[in-house]
Amino acid sequence: MIEARYLEIAGALGFVEIVTPDAHPAPDTLPTVLCIHTAGQSGVQYRHVARDLAARGYRVIVPDLPGHGRSEPAPGGPVTSLTAYGDWLCAVLDELEIERPYVVGCSIGGKLTLELSVRPERPLAGAVAMEAEAGPGRVNVAGLRRELEDVAGPARAERTYLGTLASVGTSVPDDKARVIATMHKREDPEISSSDLIGWGSHDVRDRLHLIDAPIHLVAGLDDPWIRAAEVEQVAARVNEAHPGLARYTGLAGIGHYPMEEVDDFAAVVDTWFRELGETDLSVRDSEEVAL
């Protein structure tokens, strides 16, 4: 079942899609997954994954961040702080009375997954942070701030389309890659550039020791936006503070959008969630897989 809701948060309406198994008598009792989208995009990136995770027995929460998709703009204008987005996501969880969710996010959503993970006062059941390093993202923040003055140029949509194609992994069929790129052209360029300023400014390296829920770091090995070795290092640093708490997976042939690129991604992330639920000191903390 799919339920669409608007929540009043910080003076604006935020859109949330809630997906649960059909005819389940008590969906609030199911393990809950919060899915966080990428820069400039919306929860539509999880349109297949949410349905399939629900069929596997999860309650799936898919919000559109402020100014994205069907959410109203933030009252103060486009958000350039991922910490502020983290506060907004916590407010969503409060409004829905959700405690200890699993969280999965990609790109800025991966960084937001890290942001939520370093807030021990808001415990998680587990986290899957994809395509995100712990330090600032590899973008020119000053250049992005200048670009905000010219984001509505007619070439921007085409740049988004071609840039998405360049960010998809080599294992993804051409027709599927073009669908992903076409969907991404819907973004608001002012919102996207603001998100990327947040991506380039966000840094949780000095807070990694605060992570106290099992976490899985994931990197598409064809992703041009990150360095997989840096993502793997995040898992290593978490394990220095809490041995066995983190693991890392490198996805061969996959780029920046695993939830859109990987066939039957719900089955993959379901396996990861189950492994996180069974985490103990004997888990392996690094692996590379082909999907």
Side-chain angles (χ1 to χ4, degrees):
M1 183 178 74
I2 299 176
E3 176 187 359
R5 293 181 60 178
Y6 281 98
L7 307 177
E8 177 89 28
I9 298 175
L13 292 177
F15 178 81
V16 180
E17 187 174 83
I18 303 171
V19 188
T20 54
D22 291 338
H24 193 282
D28 291 355
T29 65
L30 296 171
T32 299
V33 180
L34 174 68
C35 300
I36 313 174
H37 61 75
T38 71
Q41 300 301 313
S42 71
V44 73
Q45 290 182 300
Y46 291 94
R47 61 196 180 279
H48 301 301
V49 177
R51 175 197 63 201
D52 294 344
L53 278 176
R56 290 175 172 271
Y58 294 92
R59 177 174 60 155
V60 187
I61 310 299
V62 189
D64 292 343
L65 292 171
H68 300 70
R70 285 175 279 183
S71 286
E72 290 184 345
V79 177
T80 58
S81 165
L82 298 195
T83 302
Y85 277 149
D87 294 341
W88 187 87
L89 288 167
C90 287
V92 168
L93 296 175
D94 285 342
E95 286 289 323
L96 297 175
E97 299 183 337
I98 293 171
E99 297 182 354
R100 297 185 64 84
Y102 288 100
V103 180
V104 57
C106 181
S107 187
I108 69 162
K111 278 187 160 292
L112 285 166
T113 301
L114 289 173
E115 174 66 32
L116 295 180
S117 296
V118 298
R119 300 185 180 198
E121 71 278 9
R122 303 296 303 253
L124 305 177
V128 176
M130 304 186 294
E131 316 309 318
E133 301 171 18
R138 302 175 190 283
V139 292
N140 183 334
V141 172
L144 285 165
R145 294 190 186 278
R146 290 193 299 272
E147 190 177 81
L148 281 175
E149 302 174 6
D150 190 34
V151 292
R156 177 62 185 249
E158 193 63 20
R159 295 206 310 271
T160 297
Y161 180 82
L162 295 174
T164 299
L165 287 179
S167 299
V168 168
T170 54
S171 70
V172 181
D174 183 68
D175 57 345
K176 186 174 185 178
R178 293 186 181 280
V179 168
I180 295 171
T182 300
M183 294 292 287
H184 286 200
K185 284 174 66 175
R186 300 178 179 186
E187 69 180 18
D188 180 328
E190 185 178 15
I191 296 296
S192 298
S193 291
S194 298
D195 285 351
L196 289 175
I197 290 170
W199 163 269
S201 307
H202 188 254
D203 191 345
V204 297
R205 288 175 293 185
D206 63 349
R207 292 188 283 158
L208 291 176
H209 67 282
L210 297 175
I211 294 176
D212 62 0
I215 186 168
H216 196 141
L217 287 303
V218 178
L221 300 183
D222 287 348
D223 187 349
W225 287 84
I226 59 166
R227 294 176 182 168
E230 292 292 331
V231 177
E232 185 173 13
Q233 184 61 28
V234 177
R237 289 190 59 185
V238 173
N239 284 330
E240 287 176 5
H242 305 285
L245 196 65
R247 63 183 66 209
Y248 163 80
T249 296
L251 301 177
I254 299 300
H256 195 60
Y257 312 101
M259 68 286 190
E260 296 181 281
E261 299 178 45
V262 175
D263 290 333
D264 198 7
F265 181 75
V268 176
V269 76
D270 177 34
T271 298
W272 291 340
F273 288 150
R274 293 178 186 277
E275 291 173 347
L276 291 175
E278 298 169 356
T279 295
D280 60 31
L281 298 182
S282 67
V283 299
R284 291 182 300 154
D285 60 11
S286 179
E287 64 177 327
E288 181 174 319
V289 300
L291 295 172

